[in-house]
Each structure stands twice: as structure tokens, then as C-alpha cells.
Amino acid sequence: MRIAHLSDLHFGRDQHQVADAIISQMNQLQPDLVIISGDLTQNATHEEFQAARRFLDQLQQPAHVIPGNHDLSPTNLPERFLYPWRKWQHYIQPETEPTTETEDAKILGLNTARRMGWYLDWSRGRLNEQQMQRVENELQNTQEEKLRIVVAHHPFWLPTRSQHRKLVGSRDEALTIFDQAGVDLVLGGHIHLAFAQTLQGVVISHAGTTTSDRLIPGQPNSFNLIDGNRQRLTITEWDWQKNRFEAGKTTGFLRQNGEWQHSRPVESPYQPN
Ligand SMILES: [Fe+2]
Ligand SMILES: [Fe+2]
């Protein structure tokens, strides 16, 4: 099974050449599924959602797409409070929390973006009990060999240089439920920094911003390619280098007794061309 994980496209702040390259790169790599973990737009305007729609229409592969905090209007407060997902539903898809099931995997999207919160920074995200319950219910009768993936925009783990950012709210409760439900992989974005890590026996992996110019120092535009099955996985970060994407760091994982751990050494599944 092969999954491409893109994130934080931020149409409105997108770089056309990079977005175009993604379409041809996907055709070349031929993933079974493309996962996009939120922030499709910069300011949730009609024009930006239309650009995101055009991008999705060009993708030849099936896509599993969830929203991020930037897909809520930052300035149109009636829209933000009364019908926050209207444009999302009009341009992208009816669901904000899709479920995708393939021969090899079950993928659950969770919407962690919120209209407001009891804190000043409304870009933060959280999970509620119903969402955790859904993960439990939907994974209950999933075939043992299927990879179980949760996609949520906000982070469950933060690398050292992103410690100033906030973890998704209710992270610990969610992780306990995920562990009981046999979740293998949690995919996210938001911090525009790519990583692949284990936490309590689950693989947590984020893609950087795939197409936008909202870059943090030292992290180019990127997407991740996930290859493998429920026993063994590799996650390869593909980075934008001058004028094309190139396979970079590969991290390997092994599942033993229901727990994922790093496997070493790891050989890149991709040969330079
Ligand atoms: Fe973002
Ligand atoms: Fe975000």
C-alpha cells in the first residue's frame, strides 16, 4: 500500500509551480490514496476554496481531505460562528470528517479546528468525546490486517523546535482511546514541519506545508510518502529542491505485539533518477 500525505496547501499563499509539480509527482508515484491534512486555504475566501477545488479536480488519485484552522474565515465573524463550514461543504465536500476504507487501510478524518475557544489563540485545535467515541466505534470491527489511520490537523506530538506551539486539546485522552482501538498512524500538519515519530506505540507523522510560501527556516515544501502494511512501514519525506520534489529522509517502523517502534537501518525505497 502506498499513501501520499500532503498538508497545509494554503491556496492564496500557494506557489503555482510547486502545486503543479505535486500533480505530476502523484501521477509518477501513483499512491493508492492522497491524504490532505487541512489548511487548504489561507483565509477561507471563495477564491481560495475555488483554487483548492481546481487542485483536487486535477488529482488523478482518490483523496481523503480534512479541514484545518485556516479553512474557517478569520474576518467574517457571522460566517465563522453561524455557518463555519459552508464554503468547505460547497467547494470541497459535504463531510468535514470523512471515512475512507480501502483494501489495506481504514482512514478516519477528525476535524480539530474550532470556531472559538476559551483562549486567545483560536488557531488552536481540540478533540471532543464524540470524536473519540467515533474512532472507537468505527474501528471496532475492522479487519486485523488493515492499517488504521487517523488524520487530524493539529499536533499530537511536537518536535523540539516547535515546542512553542500547542498540542491538540484532549491529546492524552485521545491517545488512550486510539491505543485501545488499535490506531497505527496519526497524520497531521499545522506546524509546517515534517516528522515521523512514535508515541505510546503509535506512529505520529506530520507533513510540512506542501505548496505554500509559509515556510519555516530549514524546512522546504514537502509531502510524505507512506509505504507498507500493518507490520512494517516506511515514511519518506519528499522535499522541494529548487524546481522539483526529491526523496529525502526515510524513517522505518515495525509493529511488534501491537506496538510500533522505529526499525533500523532503513533503506530508502526510492532510487534517485
Ligand atoms: Fe497551516
Ligand atoms: Fe493550521
Side-chain angles (χ1 to χ4, degrees):
M1 186 200 54
R2 170 172 284 183
I3 289 173
H5 172 202
L6 323 180
S7 199
D8 297 77
L9 308 178
H10 287 290
F11 282 97
R13 289 284 298 268
D14 58 302
Q15 309 181 85
H16 302 310
Q17 192 195 0
V18 184
D20 290 347
I22 281 290
I23 300 296
S24 49
Q25 192 69 68
M26 292 301 112
N27 291 338
Q28 218 170 57
L29 293 168
Q30 298 197 348
D32 304 302
L33 181 70
V34 176
I35 290 177
I36 307 177
S37 55
D39 281 358
L40 272 70
T41 67
Q42 177 61 20
N43 288 313
T45 64
H46 284 286
E47 295 71 24
E48 290 170 1
F49 271 116
Q50 282 159 1
R53 180 72 259 164
R54 283 194 294 274
F55 175 83
L56 293 174
D57 287 343
Q58 288 176 69
L59 266 185
Q60 305 293 309
Q61 298 75 24
H64 177 98
V65 189
I66 61 153
N69 52 298
H70 276 265
D71 300 316
L72 286 168
S73 177
T75 48
N76 183 341
L77 294 185
E79 174 182 310
R80 186 173 180 112
F81 289 107
L82 299 176
Y83 31 85
W85 302 110
R86 190 163 72 173
K87 285 192 198 123
W88 176 272
Q89 288 167 331
H90 179 71
Y91 291 110
I92 307 298
Q93 63 196 18
E95 309 84 21
T96 54
E97 302 203 309
T99 298
T100 302
E101 191 156 7
T102 71
E103 233 171 86
D104 309 296
K106 187 154 185 179
I107 300 106
L108 303 181
L110 296 179
N111 180 6
T112 52
R114 294 292 182 267
R115 285 177 280 188
M116 62 172 292
W118 301 112
Y119 33 75
L120 286 174
D121 176 7
W122 288 357
S123 71
R124 285 166 61 178
R126 60 179 188 267
L127 288 161
N128 60 34
E129 262 177 46
Q130 291 92 304
Q131 290 176 302
M132 298 182 217
Q133 190 67 54
R134 170 174 161 243
V135 172
E136 208 174 352
N137 294 346
E138 288 215 40
L139 293 180
Q140 216 158 40
N141 297 315
T142 304
Q143 287 157 277
E144 179 57 30
E145 65 275 15
K146 281 197 186 190
L147 198 66
R148 298 159 187 220
I149 304 175
V150 166
V151 189
H153 180 66
H154 291 84
F156 281 71
W157 184 87
L158 288 166
T160 315
R161 61 176 296 193
S162 302
Q163 290 296 326
H164 60 289
R165 307 299 297 269
K166 290 277 188 282
L167 292 167
V168 67
S170 300
R171 191 246 353 218
D172 292 345
E173 295 90 320
L175 267 183
T176 305
I177 304 270
F178 291 0
D179 187 32
Q180 287 161 4
V183 171
D184 299 297
L185 256 173
V186 178
L187 303 181
H190 190 59
I191 57 172
H192 297 196
L193 185 63
F195 67 82
Q197 189 57 249
T198 56
L199 180 66
Q200 297 176 27
V202 178
V203 178
I204 315 278
S205 180
H206 278 225
T209 172
T210 302
T211 51
S212 84
D213 64 0
R214 303 185 71 236
L215 297 163
I216 60 173
Q219 169 74 67
N221 288 117
S222 71
F223 67 91
N224 293 337
L225 209 60
I226 303 166
D227 287 274
N229 52 43
R230 211 172 181 220
Q231 279 79 51
R232 189 178 285 274
L233 286 172
T234 58
I235 299 181
T236 302
E237 181 185 332
W238 284 67
D239 295 320
W240 181 253
Q241 306 281 10
K242 287 190 190 129
N243 56 8
R244 62 177 190 158
F245 280 99
E246 285 180 21
K249 184 184 173 201
T250 296
T251 313
F253 300 94
L254 260 179
R255 184 168 172 263
Q256 278 176 338
N257 305 321
E259 304 275 295
W260 286 93
Q261 49 193 264
H262 285 268
S263 71
R264 295 186 181 88
V266 182
E267 277 179 35
S268 167
Y270 312 103
Q271 300 304 321
N273 48 23

